[in-house]
Amino acid sequence: MESILDKVKNELNKVNLDEETKQAIEQKINELEKNKLNIMITGATGSGKSSTINALFNEEVAQVGQGVDPETMTIKKYELDNIILWDTPGLGDSPEQDKYYAKNIVELLNKKDDSGKALVDLVLVVVDGSAKDMRTSFELINEVIIPNISDKNRILVAINQCDMAMKGRGWDNNLNIPKEDLIQFLDEKVESVKKRIYESTGVEIKPIYYSALYKYNISKLLCYIIKSTPDEKRIIYVDKINKNPEVWKNNDNLMNYNYEIQNQMKGSLTSALDFAAKGALAGATVGTLVPVIGPIVGAGVGAVLGFIGGLFDI
Ligand SMILES: Nc1nc2c(ncn2[C@@H]2O[C@H](COP(=O)(O)OP(=O)(O)OP(=O)(O)O)[C@@H](O)[C@H]2O)c(=O)[nH]1
Ligand SMILES: [Mg+2]
């Protein structure tokens, strides 16, 4: 299938722009095509790491791309073309094993890419919202993840299994959403997780809650992930997100997440291309080419994500 960047490249070729500008934009697109996005998914055993990966991404792709990282033999590596998912083994089964897993996680967090930057772009810690004892999760977040990632904005804490947070009470099985009492319980949980991380580390992280099983707040989760993704890598998600519209349907209505997802991806690609073109165009300033590039990128993103239909209408 034609990728979003190929689509944009083709469309740009059709518009009336001078050769130099076109070349500058094309060169930038070629550069963006080489970008790799590395995401670590970690958490206690059974928290729902694998279910979360399958909810967010195209399941078939996730399965065919499965492999084992030969260096560690413990962290699973899924390659969805330019998205590399590092699925760590669940912690909490035995202290000796956890020590070994933690060591592998620290090693991966300290790995550098070819340009000398941290290889892992962001870490998603999946917390089991139905678990009483969250000690393993806090040890992982506070003692393993936070001390080993310098940009704290790249650490995400997501509370899964929100449907089971009150042992199944408060979950509306017909609508697949939490009822008022469960919402309140979950909001308090978010606050207490945030507080426990802050008190141990001084780092402020704002967790969210979702259900990978019932596909609730998956758009919110993706939105949360995109905002922590380096600007120029955001567009990578377009080709790989789950193509089943049902996944993106049920969210809290605090924001139009599906609109926001599209907007973030469009915005970061448009400004990257505008910035590249500016260099080639005499007298151009930042934003000069946005009226030309913006609609093309918008149409491309809209075409690929059109399967979500009305949800992405602007
Ligand atoms: N009720 C409920 N169950 C869930 C949810 N997410 C995952 N599960 C269930 O929890 C179990 C563990 O899910 P996995 O996705 O395998 O968890 P994991 O973190 O990958 O587990 P390990 O790889 O063994 O550490 C499975 O039975 C899932 O169906 C959820 O949101 N709600
Ligand atoms: Mg798993």
Side-chain angles (χ1 to χ4, degrees):
M1 214 177 72
E2 193 183 30
S3 77
I4 174 69
L5 288 174
D6 282 337
K7 239 184 207 73
V8 170
K9 220 190 275 182
N10 287 340
E11 287 305 314
L12 270 168
N13 265 322
K14 293 182 200 155
V15 298
N16 195 13
L17 273 177
D18 63 283
E19 262 325 295
E20 222 173 314
T21 307
K22 268 189 187 169
Q23 264 173 24
I25 296 175
E26 203 169 302
Q27 201 183 333
K28 185 68 194 178
I29 296 179
N30 292 341
E31 226 175 85
L32 294 177
E33 273 172 343
K34 292 197 196 97
N35 275 341
K36 299 247 185 237
L37 174 63
N38 282 266
I39 306 178
M40 179 192 281
I41 293 115
T42 186
T45 176
S47 57
K49 299 177 293 297
S50 302
S51 308
T52 301
I53 292 173
N54 289 338
L56 287 169
F57 300 101
N58 248 338
E59 285 151 73
E60 280 160 286
V61 185
Q63 276 154 14
V64 288
Q66 187 172 341
V68 176
D69 180 19
E71 276 162 7
T72 64
M73 298 306 287
T74 59
I75 299 179
K76 262 188 254 157
K77 182 182 176 187
Y78 305 94
E79 289 189 65
L80 321 183
D81 296 330
N82 292 359
I83 302 184
I84 296 142
L85 303 171
W86 301 89
D87 184 3
T88 78
L91 278 83
D93 283 338
S94 87
E96 299 81 54
Q97 219 173 35
D98 284 1
K99 223 177 253 169
Y100 175 68
Y101 291 160
K103 190 174 148 271
N104 286 324
I105 291 172
V106 169
E107 268 168 25
L108 182 53
L109 289 176
N110 285 298
K111 238 189 201 164
K112 304 275 188 276
D113 66 13
D114 296 338
S115 66
K117 279 192 266 180
L119 176 78
V120 173
D121 291 293
L122 57 111
V123 178
L124 175 67
V125 186
V126 177
V127 174
D128 179 355
S130 75
K132 257 221 188 102
D133 181 8
M134 296 184 26
R135 211 181 39 209
T136 301
S137 298
F138 287 118
E139 278 173 12
L140 175 65
I141 297 167
N142 297 340
E143 291 160 33
V144 182
I145 307 295
I146 289 182
N148 286 290
I149 188 157
S150 55
D151 183 354
K152 313 299 180 202
N153 292 320
R154 300 275 147 84
I155 304 167
L156 307 173
V157 174
I159 303 170
N160 185 30
Q161 313 209 20
C162 73
D163 51 290
M164 289 302 284
M166 297 199 309
K167 296 193 162 81
R169 264 192 307 124
W171 184 256
D172 188 325
N173 280 308
N174 295 320
L175 298 175
N176 257 337
I177 54 172
K179 295 184 208 165
E180 218 26 72
D181 53 343
L182 181 56
I183 292 176
Q184 199 182 334
F185 183 89
L186 288 164
D187 284 341
E188 281 162 20
K189 192 156 203 126
V190 163
E191 282 313 308
S192 88
V193 169
K194 183 180 164 187
K195 193 158 158 248
R196 240 176 112 172
I197 296 170
Y198 185 74
E199 280 171 358
S200 312
T201 64
V203 173
E204 216 167 322
I205 286 170
K206 178 112 180 60
I208 63 150
Y209 60 81
Y210 70 105
S211 170
L213 184 67
Y214 292 111
K215 315 290 185 283
Y216 177 77
N217 267 354
I218 304 297
S219 304
K220 182 175 190 160
L221 176 63
L222 181 60
C223 215
Y224 185 49
I225 291 174
I226 290 173
K227 286 184 180 168
S228 293
T229 301
D231 251 343
E232 296 205 340
K233 296 188 179 184
R234 290 179 179 180
I235 198 71
I236 297 178
Y237 293 111
V238 173
D239 295 317
K240 293 293 161 235
I241 65 168
N242 197 325
K243 295 293 188 293
N244 178 359
E246 290 299 309
V247 170
W248 311 100
K249 221 172 69 183
N250 285 341
N251 293 282
D252 67 39
N253 290 317
L254 298 175
M255 198 199 257
N256 186 342
Y257 303 107
N258 290 318
Y259 167 74
E260 192 59 21
I261 286 168
Q262 196 187 33
N263 217 24
Q264 294 280 345
M265 292 184 192
K266 262 171 27 184
S268 36
L269 180 59
T270 303
S271 44
L273 299 185
D274 170 64
F275 194 79
K278 178 191 74 111
L281 198 63
T285 50
V286 173
T288 306
L289 280 160
V290 167
V292 183
I293 298 168
I296 291 171
V297 172
V301 172
V304 183
L305 298 180
F307 66 92
I308 300 182
L311 296 177
F312 272 122
D313 269 354
I314 303 171

